[in-house]
Amino acid sequence: MTEIIGFNNLTKALSFNLYDFAVATNEEERSSYIRYIDERYSAKQIEAMLIRIAEIMDATVLNVSSKDFDPYGASVVLLMSDAKAGEISNLMAQSTVSVHLDKSHICAHTYPDSLDPDGICSFRVDIDIATCGSISPLYALDFMFSSFESDVVVVDYVVRGFARGHGGKKVYMDHDINSVSQFVSPLILRQYETLDDNNPQGLTYQTKFVRNELDETSYFRNPRQVDPATAAQKMALIRKEMQAVFRQS
């Protein structure tokens, strides 16, 4: 890519939308599912994850605001400043660089749902990262996948603005990308079917991920108490919900 002279003004925005599904066979299990989500993905838990994302990008956390909502759900906003000069983490480039992350942020919102009449509960997390400078939030994708139980993931990545190269030439992209999936480890990719919807000319990239194989026991609150016929029916509904999100336009 073209070498950038002076301050890198490029803004890289990544939206990570995660969907996880479960089955509740009665009202007690619906309530149990919501309690589980509220405990595992509370504002404090999400806050720790976002701070780790900032660390992966070698950013300095300036401020964090988090809140658990009633009856459920959480939101966290994290402001970042200059990254440390020096080597970007192992996930980043091989060279030593100095990066600037002023006016950068990460925000996350959680949305549990247990109102489906067929008992299919869902949990959605939206994580939005905007960085201004040399690094890209794409390098935190593996951590985000590993931090959640992800049945379906939709990742949108956009680069906006321009910087300057030699002779004052405008530079609209400072790194190579063909697909979001190239920034996800092979071990994770093996678990998913992927679908790209990219517009390289518009510097806009989207990849959707849907889990290939489902462990039936992980979707029920009390799997040993569910008869095979009911389990098969509910798993068919789970797959239908997953495909509906994966295939939506």
Side-chain angles (χ1 to χ4, degrees):
M1 304 301 292
T2 304
E3 181 183 358
I4 290 175
I5 305 302
F7 176 56
N8 187 336
N9 285 311
L10 294 176
T11 297
K12 291 118 182 192
L14 183 143
S15 177
F16 182 90
N17 307 114
L18 171 151
Y19 300 81
D20 181 55
F21 297 96
V23 176
T25 59
N26 53 52
E27 288 302 318
E28 181 181 349
E29 290 189 356
R30 290 179 192 266
S31 298
S32 173
Y33 174 77
I34 293 297
R35 289 194 303 271
Y36 164 76
I37 292 298
D38 279 349
E39 291 174 5
R40 179 160 184 177
Y41 301 113
S42 66
K44 285 299 181 184
Q45 298 288 343
I46 298 294
E47 179 181 315
M49 294 176 188
L50 299 196
I51 290 173
R52 179 58 187 143
I53 291 172
E55 291 174 349
I56 289 171
M57 297 189 297
D58 285 347
T60 299
V61 176
L62 293 178
N63 185 49
V64 182
S65 178
S66 60
K67 181 175 178 58
D68 289 303
F69 290 97
D70 187 15
Y72 41 71
S75 291
V76 181
V77 178
L78 181 151
L79 298 180
M80 302 180 293
S81 185
D82 294 348
K84 300 174 183 176
E87 186 178 354
I88 300 301
S89 65
N90 294 335
L91 300 173
M92 298 292 293
Q94 299 301 313
S95 61
T96 297
V97 295
S98 176
V99 266
H100 192 89
L101 281 174
D102 270 348
K103 304 175 184 175
S104 301
H105 69 270
I106 312 175
C107 61
H109 308 283
T110 68
Y111 304 92
D113 172 51
S114 62
L115 300 180
D116 179 74
D118 291 318
I120 306 303
C121 300
S122 64
F123 173 59
R124 190 178 103 237
V125 179
D126 295 343
I127 300 177
D128 295 299
I129 308 174
T131 65
C132 182
S134 301
I135 74 166
S136 166
L138 287 166
Y139 297 100
L141 279 175
D142 279 0
F143 175 75
M144 287 186 270
F145 269 96
S146 64
S147 297
F148 299 95
E149 299 170 354
S150 312
D151 286 324
V152 182
V153 176
V154 181
V155 181
D156 293 280
Y157 181 66
V158 178
V159 179
R160 291 292 179 260
F162 62 85
R164 296 284 181 177
H166 289 286
K169 182 180 178 181
K170 291 180 180 177
V171 178
Y172 294 96
M173 176 66 88
D174 65 349
H175 62 292
D176 294 321
I177 177 172
N178 297 312
S179 168
V180 167
S181 62
Q182 77 188 69
F183 295 87
V184 179
S185 75
L187 287 176
I188 294 174
L189 281 178
R190 220 174 287 153
Q191 303 173 42
Y192 293 91
E193 175 188 349
T194 62
L195 179 65
D196 282 338
D197 184 9
N198 300 326
N199 177 18
Q201 186 175 357
L203 302 179
T204 301
Y205 302 84
Q206 182 188 81
T207 301
K208 295 179 180 180
F209 304 77
V210 63
R211 189 171 292 279
N212 287 321
E213 299 181 5
L214 308 185
D215 177 7
E216 181 178 295
T217 60
S218 68
Y219 290 88
F220 295 88
R221 305 301 294 164
N222 298 290
R224 294 182 180 179
Q225 299 179 15
V226 181
D227 65 84
T230 299
Q233 178 194 34
K234 297 300 184 182
M235 290 306 297
L237 291 173
I238 289 278
R239 291 183 182 276
K240 183 177 179 180
E241 290 286 338
M242 290 168 54
Q243 285 297 320
V245 175
F246 182 65
R247 298 293 177 185
Q248 69 178 352
S249 58

